Amino acid sequence: MPVLVITGTGTEVGKTVTTAAVAATALAAGRSVAVLKAAQTGVRPDERGDADEVARLAGAVTATELARFPEPLAPGTAARRAGMAPVHPHEVAEAAAKLATEHDLVLVEGAGGLLVRFDAAGGTLADAARLLNAPVLVVATAGLGTLNTTELTARELRTRGLEPAGIVIGSWPDDPDLACRCNVVDLPEVAGAPLLGALPAGAGALPPAAFRAAAPGWLAARLDGTWEAEAFRIRQAP
């Protein structure tokens, strides 16, 4: 798995913190890691972007950002409004492929959901993943509504000839309600892909050293971690 694309079922679902957890866990396993942010929006030139945040939390990763647009909009829209050149899927794929020649693992983080547009031609993260023939990790929310958005994302991946590598819950609440606890069982079923982890709410606010120490326990063995889906389901059974 030299390249892993990380998408979400929408915005603010925990993609960046999940990317950091995957990176930290891979680093702890002795692998070299690069993180590629395809398009950063809503951040000024002097502010830290998502790739910088991954590096802060995870440690010694190569952090790369292809483009940055000032307004917090879809990348294609933000580029157009700023009068800037957009990012195209082939550029994302080329950058990831180059990083893969120099690192054991390249994590490509998207913006928003799978079909958020990068350019006027309608290019998306899914197109970049297809060019790379890379697996796609889907970050989902825990609560009510997540089954629909997760199934739609997984179906779209398969329509494009891609398989979801698995699902990670980007923020698991301290006091999960009934919907959250039932979704632990239902998410892998609707996605047709394994549940590969659950990050605790507020994980991104941990000190970096604590984040790195805890990250392997949030992710399954397929992502180099020690988290076990069955044990988690039993603990959360309604």
Side-chain angles (χ1 to χ4, degrees):
M1 195 195 303
V3 179
L4 177 64
V5 174
I6 300 180
T7 190
T9 55
T11 59
E12 303 300 322
V13 298
K15 287 190 304 296
T16 298
V17 179
T18 298
T19 301
V22 175
T25 302
L27 287 170
R31 304 169 74 188
S32 60
V33 179
V35 175
L36 175 65
K37 181 68 177 182
Q40 177 71 62
T41 65
V43 177
R44 298 192 309 268
D46 60 337
E47 289 183 305
R48 297 176 62 87
D50 291 344
D52 298 318
E53 179 64 5
V54 172
R56 183 186 74 82
L57 288 170
V61 302
T62 299
T64 303
E65 187 182 279
L66 283 189
R68 175 175 290 207
F69 309 112
E71 293 180 315
L73 302 168
T77 304
R80 184 184 72 243
R81 285 179 52 83
M84 299 171 67
V87 173
H88 302 289
H90 72 86
E91 295 172 323
V92 179
E94 289 167 4
K98 182 177 185 303
L99 288 167
T101 67
E102 304 160 348
H103 299 83
D104 298 323
L105 176 64
V106 179
L107 303 175
V108 181
E109 183 187 347
L114 180 68
L115 299 186
V116 168
R117 295 189 171 198
F118 286 165
D119 56 25
T124 68
L125 184 68
D127 296 314
R130 188 75 183 91
L131 289 169
L132 288 161
N133 195 27
V136 181
L137 185 67
V138 179
V139 182
T141 57
L144 200 62
T146 194
L147 299 180
N148 179 62
T149 53
T150 301
E151 184 168 0
L152 287 171
T153 300
R155 285 189 182 191
E156 183 63 26
L157 284 169
R158 293 191 174 96
T159 295
R160 293 167 176 261
L162 297 163
E163 278 294 319
I167 312 299
V168 170
I169 297 172
S171 180
W172 184 255
D174 296 331
D175 185 19
D177 62 15
L178 179 61
C180 291
R181 290 181 284 128
C182 289
N183 288 341
V184 171
V185 175
D186 293 338
L187 273 169
E189 181 177 341
V190 301
L195 187 62
L196 295 182
L199 276 63
L206 290 172
F211 182 93
R212 296 166 197 171
W218 303 331
L219 301 171
R222 193 176 300 188
L223 296 173
D224 292 323
T226 59
W227 183 88
E228 295 182 357
E230 185 59 30
F232 188 76
R233 280 194 290 267
I234 291 171
R235 289 198 304 273
Q236 304 300 332

